[in-house]
Amino acid sequence: MTSARPVPAVSFQTARSGASTNANELGMRPMQERAYNKRGEQYLLIKSPSASVKDLRLQPG
């Protein structure tokens, strides 16, 4: 049998203003809306952490 060992853990807390969950009339969050507004630019670089939703689903119409 093995002895108990401590398990390292990390905890952090961020501001919870709810701004990132509010969607506009097209259903886009603020970051998505800013990227959408720049969609006609010659170059567009979007930096975001891994495992974050980066796709922009455009609705036909």
Side-chain angles (χ1 to χ4, degrees):
M1 187 181 260
T2 61
S3 60
R5 294 182 183 157
V7 176
V10 175
S11 176
F12 70 94
Q13 196 165 10
T14 60
R16 296 181 185 165
S17 66
S20 66
T21 60
N22 296 334
N24 68 4
E25 62 278 355
L26 296 176
M28 293 186 282
R29 294 184 304 266
M31 183 280 306
Q32 292 171 314
E33 186 175 13
R34 289 192 303 271
Y36 182 81
N37 291 336
K38 300 286 185 177
R39 69 189 182 280
E41 300 293 324
Q42 182 177 2
Y43 301 106
L44 178 63
L45 175 64
I46 299 175
K47 180 182 177 186
S48 60
S50 57
S52 63
V53 179
K54 298 180 194 84
D55 62 344
L56 180 64
R57 295 183 178 105
L58 302 176
Q59 299 297 323

